[in-house]
Amino acid sequence: MKGLCVLGATGSIGVSTLDVAARHPDKYKIIALSANSQVDRLIEQCEKFKPEYAVVVNETAASEFAEKIKSKNLSVQVLSGNAGLVTIASLPQVDYVMAAIVGAAGLESSLAAARAGKRILLANKEALVMSGQLFMDEVKKNNAELLPIDSEHNAIFQCLPEHYEKDLTASGITKILLTGSGGPFRTKAANELENVTPDQACAHPNWSMGRKISVDSATMMNKGLEIIEACWLFNTSPDDIQVVVHPQSVIHSMVQYSDGSVLAQLGQPDMRTPIAHALSWPERISSGVEKLDLFSIAQLEFEQPDYERFPCLRLAEESIRKGGTAPAILNAANEVAVASFLDKQLKFTDIAYIVEKTLLNLKSRPANTLTDILEDDLAARKEAEQLIQSRVKQD
Ligand code: NDP
Ligand code: MG
């Protein structure tokens, strides 16, 4: 029986994780759940899974949650704030931590799981983008296990040799083929992108996800963040990663070997597959995902990515080549710009503009400590906010 802590339980990945865990009550015991402010959804989850701990990060929502829990006679210990997240990610009775908080807000708790030597099921790619080297060092130092949930990275992991440890070359690998659907605007002309709405951007053709990652998919910043994520997870560089646009999202990524073999992982676009894989690895469990019917899919297509219409891809690649805190700056500016777009303050095409300007205006530095990273994250947020204000005034 493995003790499971789900950070970001009320989100898209969190809900899918609980769905898979509920299919195997003999294998996984829910020890702790967290939310930011969706109190009612978290209460329902507490009623169903009876965790020992629940964390509500937002302080006001936490008081409301505590009141409601009391009136329901549920015996769950309620914590709040980031400190609460760090506590539940490090509990001795927790074996596995699902890191499914969105954005930089998940960094410290994901790192705490690494420091406590847990199996980390990493959905929160922003944590790795921000703190890559530091994160990987903590995993190694504390004998933690890092298993990717992001469908592409989970696919790559499944296509790598069993004892992949060092790097691509040592394993006879010539390239990682990182697939992406191309998002909802794959075929939209450049001049039509300016006025797309948040709802259009969030209407992903194949995946149902939280709003932030949906916008990232639409700008292809998601693929950019995934290039960075792959560099850290598989100890490689953007030179060895080829983005392949694959509109059907059936192949979740591929690994090309020196003998000409290309291994791919295929499946339904349903995150319960990578979640079940990482929960049960190296074994396999059922996930509730429908079988893949190749006859109904019939065709698989592949295209080159368009770096002109989707400049976020280039920005992400440039930032990982630059290294240090540059990816953290990219990520922070992107989070601010996406929030502003979702708030209807900023045009879709201005997301890339804000990220590029922020990267130009700020000087990155080596990411030696968490403080370096968090300081540059904060500076980038301030810079991006200011740039957005002056952009809004211009219009
Ligand atoms: P959602 O927006 O659906 O869920 C986010 C979760 O994080 C919620 O539980 C939310 O709580 C919590 N949260 C939000 N803000 C904070 C905060 N400031 N502090 C603490 N907790 C917070 O996101 P997704 O599930 O779609 O994505 C989660 C992560 O997984 C992201 O990093 C994303 O990139 C990654 N991912 C997601 C995929 C998907 O299919 N959805 C695929 C691959 C990766 P509340 O509900 O209370 O707001
Ligand atoms: Mg992905």
Side-chain angles (χ1 to χ4, degrees), residues 7-18:
L7 303 171
T10 47
S12 162
I13 294 286
V15 168
S16 292
T17 304
L18 291 174

Side-chain angles (χ1 to χ4, degrees), residues 122 147-161 173 176-180 207 223 226 229-230 233-234 246 249-257 262-268 271 273-275 277-278 281 284:
L122 186 76
L147 294 177
I149 293 299
D150 214 346
S151 58
E152 295 77 4
H153 305 74
N154 184 272
I156 295 161
F157 181 81
Q158 294 197 46
C159 297
L160 290 176
I173 294 163
I176 285 177
L177 305 175
L178 183 71
T179 59
W207 298 94
K223 217 41 64 187
E226 290 183 357
E229 186 185 9
L233 284 171
F234 309 119
H246 164 48
S249 298
V250 168
I251 294 179
H252 297 311
S253 277
M254 296 169 263
V255 175
Q256 177 187 292
Y257 286 83
V262 176
L263 300 193
Q265 186 260 357
L266 286 70
Q268 295 283 2
M271 291 306 292
T273 295
I275 291 167
H277 171 265
W281 183 81
R284 298 272 177 174

Side-chain angles (χ1 to χ4, degrees), residues 28 47 79 113 149 229 268 360 362:
Y28 308 105
E47 284 176 320
L79 305 174
I149 293 299
E229 186 185 9
Q268 295 283 2
L360 280 172
L362 295 187

Side-chain angles (χ1 to χ4, degrees), residues 227-362:
I227 292 174
I228 302 174
E229 186 185 9
C231 287
W232 290 116
L233 284 171
F234 309 119
N235 189 25
T236 185
S237 82
D239 298 336
D240 295 324
I241 301 171
Q242 170 69 54
V243 173
V244 177
V245 175
H246 164 48
Q248 288 82 14
S249 298
V250 168
I251 294 179
H252 297 311
S253 277
M254 296 169 263
V255 175
Q256 177 187 292
Y257 286 83
S258 53
D259 62 3
S261 301
V262 176
L263 300 193
Q265 186 260 357
L266 286 70
Q268 295 283 2
D270 186 324
M271 291 306 292
R272 289 177 301 174
T273 295
I275 291 167
H277 171 265
L279 274 173
S280 62
W281 183 81
E283 283 159 29
R284 298 272 177 174
I285 53 169
S286 61
S287 64
V289 173
E290 247 182 79
K291 275 207 198 97
L292 188 67
D293 177 2
L294 287 172
F295 298 115
S296 73
I297 295 160
Q299 282 193 333
L300 300 178
E301 296 165 294
F302 306 98
E303 297 166 8
Q304 294 272 0
D306 183 343
Y307 281 71
E308 295 296 316
R309 277 183 308 142
F310 301 104
C312 288
L313 271 175
R314 169 180 56 82
L315 296 173
E317 282 191 19
E318 283 171 2
S319 80
I320 184 67
R321 286 185 203 281
K322 198 162 180 198
T325 55
I329 293 172
L330 167 104
N331 177 68
N334 181 58
E335 284 190 24
V336 171
V338 169
S340 181
F341 167 69
L342 284 171
D343 218 17
K344 302 200 173 133
Q345 299 294 311
L346 194 69
K347 285 183 181 155
F348 180 76
T349 39
D350 279 344
I351 296 173
Y353 167 84
I354 296 294
V355 173
E356 180 148 32
K357 270 280 193 199
T358 306
L359 280 162
L360 280 172
N361 292 358
L362 295 187

Side-chain angles (χ1 to χ4, degrees), residues 1-162:
M1 193 75 144
K2 297 294 179 187
L4 181 61
C5 163
V6 184
L7 303 171
T10 47
S12 162
I13 294 286
V15 168
S16 292
T17 304
L18 291 174
D19 180 282
V20 176
R23 292 167 195 274
H24 304 279
D26 53 323
K27 288 189 163 67
Y28 308 105
K29 180 172 173 9
I30 309 298
I31 306 287
L33 299 173
S34 90
N36 184 36
S37 58
Q38 288 204 70
V39 165
D40 292 332
R41 186 174 267 191
L42 188 62
I43 287 188
E44 279 170 30
Q45 294 179 337
C46 289
E47 284 176 320
K48 181 160 180 201
F49 293 98
K50 311 253 176 332
E52 293 172 28
Y53 291 83
V55 175
V56 180
V57 175
N58 179 289
E59 303 284 345
T60 322
S63 319
E64 184 194 335
F65 179 80
E67 285 296 316
K68 288 192 173 168
I69 281 285
K70 216 193 278 168
S71 70
K72 289 194 183 274
N73 272 333
L74 281 168
S75 71
V76 46
Q77 199 160 328
V78 182
L79 305 174
S80 67
N82 214 14
L85 296 176
V86 169
T87 301
I88 59 170
S90 323
L91 289 168
Q93 63 272 48
V94 164
D95 302 291
Y96 296 175
V97 176
M98 165 54 81
I101 289 173
V102 60
L107 173 60
E108 284 176 68
S109 48
S110 303
L111 263 177
R115 289 188 178 129
K118 308 297 187 194
R119 172 179 289 198
I120 307 158
L121 292 75
L122 186 76
N124 180 211
K125 65 190 90 184
E126 296 91 343
L128 199 55
V129 166
M130 292 173 74
S131 72
Q133 188 65 59
L134 198 89
F135 200 99
M136 298 309 289
D137 289 349
E138 290 291 354
V139 167
K140 206 164 177 192
K141 198 167 83 194
N142 298 289
N143 274 326
E145 263 181 323
L146 184 57
L147 294 177
I149 293 299
D150 214 346
S151 58
E152 295 77 4
H153 305 74
N154 184 272
I156 295 161
F157 181 81
Q158 294 197 46
C159 297
L160 290 176
E162 200 183 338

